């Protein structure tokens, strides 16, 4: 079942986010497997991330990859993400 994941990361700059994203993009394999959509916006002295995942298992697998890299980059650890089950999703025009 698809899930929506939302998390606010206070103290994380867009430059830190961009550097971490570049590391993730450079990893071999499909690091983002199961991610249907990703949005990052500056918010309240940090960033807010909203993802649409095929399943919570896909999101948890990704978190196992991203968390050590974020810690290594000196990014502050954020709270647990808010996870909601998705009733419906679609991309207009497709």
């Amino acid at each position: 079942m698809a899930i929506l994941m939302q998390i606010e990361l206070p103290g994380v700059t867009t430059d830190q986010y961009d550097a971490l994203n570049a590391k993730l993009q450079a990893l071999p394999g499909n690091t983002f497997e199961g991610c249907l959509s990703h949005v990052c916006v500056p918010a309240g002295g940090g960033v807010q991330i909203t993802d649409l995942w095929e399943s919570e298992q896909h999101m948890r697998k990704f978190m196992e990859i991203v968390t050590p890299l974020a810690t290594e980059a000196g990014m502050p650890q954020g709270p647990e993400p808010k996870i909601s089950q998705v009733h419906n999703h679609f991309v207009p025009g497709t």
Side-chain angles (χ1 to χ4, degrees):
M1 171 171 285
I3 61 150
L4 184 73
M5 185 282 303
Q6 299 171 296
I7 189 166
E8 286 204 31
L9 301 171
V12 175
T13 68
T14 53
D15 287 340
Q16 288 174 310
Y17 167 86
D18 290 343
L20 178 59
N21 192 47
K23 284 184 180 181
L24 290 166
Q25 296 282 345
L27 292 174
N30 187 0
T31 305
F32 302 96
E33 180 179 359
C35 186
L36 302 172
S37 180
H38 172 82
V39 177
C40 176
V41 296
V47 295
Q48 180 180 23
I49 296 173
T50 303
D51 287 346
L52 178 62
W53 289 92
E54 288 180 12
S55 69
E56 187 169 347
Q57 292 78 15
H58 282 102
M59 184 210 68
R60 296 284 176 204
K61 183 177 177 185
F62 174 76
M63 295 298 285
E64 290 174 4
I65 296 167
V66 71
T67 300
L69 292 175
T71 301
E72 180 182 295
M75 296 170 71
Q77 184 173 0
E80 281 292 311
K82 179 182 175 190
I83 298 171
S84 305
Q85 291 186 357
V86 173
H87 171 70
N88 187 29
H89 66 89
F90 66 94
V91 178
T94 60

